[in-house]
């Protein structure tokens, strides 16, 4: 499959120049791979995001987790904004390479170990933003159905923690065959322009969290619809971040061990390919910081709190 490959380094950090290069190609229907500069630690990414005033609630989806590996994240976010205004929605993918195989400039995806995954994504999309990620020496890779499996030790996978305070937890209880009731409730919350997080649906129960500032509005919506519910305003969300952690045996076991060592209960969990989120009582934050350092071996400077 043919595609134009453009490097962020070629643009000299100029997002306007990058957009100038990309837009004509996309307008003609060409397929384009845009390669960001090399990865940075997750903790540095959070620091940069704060400095440029990025709304993390907006960015904390799958796509921008991928952006966390860009040294020029400010320019990358700006570039994506320019492209989306022009009605071009980029998709993101990590490009794994072994040490010494990627020098920051390339016009092919051959240097990336997961090139099959990259080509598959490009076959379904016209614009792929690629985030290069070096595969550490302690990572073993093997082919599985055309894709790569990564066997990484715990210190490689869990590299930082972010703690988000001032969260309210809701549990809403429905009658049997409740799909329409759940949908109705979620649509009412959406209409009120309220964002939810850690959403879990289990048969006739709906669980989620929100910012404390939205809790009263949510409670009124639930009450007006006549549903039974519970509410807890003393919650915090603890996010363990790493690379390739989803589905890897032993990760959740180690996190449970860290919580158990300081006698902190986990109320709920959600996960993605790069994040495991745990909901806890907000009064237990200091204990979690302690266990993250002692049990999970996460550096203190990589524990961030909002």
């Amino acid at each position: 499959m043919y595609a134009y490959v453009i490097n962020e380094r070629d643009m000299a950090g100029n997002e306007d120049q990058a957009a100038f290069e990309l837009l004509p190609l996309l307008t003609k229907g060409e397929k384009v791979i845009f390669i960001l500069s090399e990865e940075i630690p997750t903790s540095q990414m959070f620091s940069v995001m704060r400095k440029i005033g990025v709304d993390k609630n907006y960015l904390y989806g799958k796509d921008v987790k991928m952006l966390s590996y860009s040294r020029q994240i400010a320019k990358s976010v700006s570039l994506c904004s320019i492209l989306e205004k022009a009605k071009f929605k980029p998709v993101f993918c990590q490009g794994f390479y072994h040490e010494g195989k990627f020098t920051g400039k390339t016009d092919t995806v051959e240097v990336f170990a997961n090139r099959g995954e990259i080509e598959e994504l490009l076959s379904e999309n016209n614009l792929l933003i690629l985030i290069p990620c070096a595969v550490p020496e302690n990572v073993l890779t093997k082919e599985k159905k055309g894709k790569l499996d990564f066997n990484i030790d715990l210190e490689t996978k869990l590299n930082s923690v972010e703690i988000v305070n001032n969260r309210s937890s809701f549990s809403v209880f429905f009658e049997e065959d409740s799909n329409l009731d759940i949908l109705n409730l979620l649509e009412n919350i959406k209409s009120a322009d309220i964002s939810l997080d850690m959403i879990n649906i289990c048969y006739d129960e709906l669980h989620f969290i929100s910012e404390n500032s939205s809790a009263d509005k949510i409670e009124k919506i639930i009450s007006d619809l006549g549903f039974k519910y519970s509410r807890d305003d003393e919650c915090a969300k603890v996010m363990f971040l790493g690379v390739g952690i989803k589905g890897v045996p032993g990760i959740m076991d180690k996190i449970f061990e860290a919580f158990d060592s300081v006698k902190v209960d986990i109320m709920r969990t959600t996960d993605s390919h790069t994040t495991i989120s745990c909901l806890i009582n907000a009064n237990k934050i200091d204990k979690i910081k302690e266990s993250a350092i002692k049990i999970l071996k996460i550096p203190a400077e990589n524990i961030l709190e909002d």
Side-chain angles (χ1 to χ4, degrees):
M1 180 186 306
Y2 183 80
Y4 288 90
V5 179
I6 299 175
N7 281 268
E8 183 179 34
R9 286 191 173 187
D10 291 332
M11 304 298 102
N14 186 327
E15 69 270 29
D16 291 330
Q17 176 65 24
F20 177 79
E21 296 277 347
L22 290 171
L23 288 175
L25 296 172
L26 294 170
T27 301
K28 291 192 297 183
E30 302 286 358
K31 291 185 177 293
V32 180
I33 299 174
F34 186 73
I35 302 179
L36 298 177
S37 56
E38 66 270 26
E39 60 188 317
I40 64 171
T42 306
S43 58
Q44 291 184 30
M45 180 271 291
F46 285 129
S47 176
V48 172
M49 289 173 73
R50 288 193 183 97
K51 289 179 181 178
I52 64 176
V54 170
D55 181 355
K56 279 191 299 182
N57 290 327
Y58 168 73
L59 288 176
Y60 224 90
K62 174 187 173 184
D63 291 348
V64 180
K65 285 177 188 172
M66 298 297 96
L67 277 176
S68 66
Y69 299 97
S70 168
R71 185 177 298 278
Q72 302 280 349
I73 185 170
K75 303 248 185 285
S76 303
V77 172
S78 299
L79 171 63
C80 292
S81 176
I82 293 171
L83 293 170
E84 290 192 0
K85 286 179 181 177
K87 307 302 183 184
F88 293 107
K89 174 71 174 177
V91 294
F92 296 82
C93 180
Q94 289 163 303
F96 293 100
Y97 65 93
H98 292 287
E99 296 289 351
K101 297 291 186 180
F102 178 67
T103 61
K105 280 193 161 188
T106 181
D107 58 1
T108 175
V109 297
E110 293 297 320
V111 297
F112 298 108
N114 61 327
R115 58 185 176 275
E117 178 186 9
I118 295 169
E119 290 171 352
E120 181 179 336
L121 272 174
L122 193 64
S123 69
E124 301 171 354
N125 302 275
N126 277 23
L127 174 59
L128 181 65
I129 295 185
L130 194 63
I131 299 86
C133 296
V135 179
E137 292 182 359
N138 61 348
V139 177
L140 302 176
T141 63
K142 62 180 180 179
E143 292 287 345
K144 183 180 180 182
K145 293 182 179 180
K147 295 186 179 181
L148 285 171
D149 275 350
F150 289 85
N151 178 17
I152 314 174
D153 70 20
L154 185 68
E155 290 188 9
T156 300
K157 289 175 293 213
L158 293 179
N159 50 38
S160 65
V161 175
E162 185 182 13
I163 299 167
V164 182
N165 288 298
N166 303 314
R167 289 300 180 267
S168 295
S169 174
F170 284 87
S171 295
V172 187
F173 309 101
F174 303 88
E175 302 296 333
E176 293 183 4
D177 299 324
S178 56
N179 286 350
L180 290 178
D181 290 333
I182 293 174
L183 180 60
N184 186 33
L185 173 59
L186 292 175
E187 286 180 342
N188 275 267
I189 293 174
K190 176 186 176 182
S191 297
D193 198 27
I194 297 173
S195 177
L196 303 181
D197 194 7
M198 295 192 74
I199 301 173
N200 297 116
I201 300 175
C202 183
Y203 298 106
D204 54 357
E205 297 179 8
L206 172 64
H207 308 276
F208 57 82
I209 66 172
S210 71
E211 295 181 355
N212 287 160
S213 59
S214 301
D216 288 344
K217 293 180 181 178
I218 293 173
E219 184 169 28
K220 185 177 187 309
I221 292 171
I222 297 172
S223 298
D224 289 347
L225 292 173
F227 299 123
K228 296 179 180 179
Y229 67 94
S230 65
R231 170 181 169 180
D232 184 351
D233 293 333
E234 299 294 327
C235 298
K237 178 183 176 183
V238 182
M239 294 175 286
F240 298 90
L241 294 98
V243 175
I245 61 180
K246 186 176 177 67
V248 178
I251 291 293
M252 200 66 219
D253 176 66
K254 197 69 177 178
I255 290 176
F256 270 111
E257 178 186 340
F259 278 85
D260 184 64
S261 70
V262 289
K263 306 304 179 187
V264 174
D265 293 328
I266 300 175
M267 300 162 62
R268 278 203 313 281
T269 67
T270 57
D271 62 53
S272 70
H273 287 282
T274 57
T275 306
I276 294 176
S277 299
C278 301
L279 187 66
I280 67 167
N281 185 289
N283 296 323
K284 307 294 185 180
I285 291 300
D286 288 341
K287 291 185 177 182
I288 293 305
K289 292 178 182 177
E290 173 189 334
S291 66
I293 295 170
K294 290 184 178 181
I295 305 298
L296 301 178
K297 309 300 182 185
I298 293 175
E301 62 270 20
N302 285 4
I303 299 177
L304 308 162
E305 184 173 2
D306 281 350

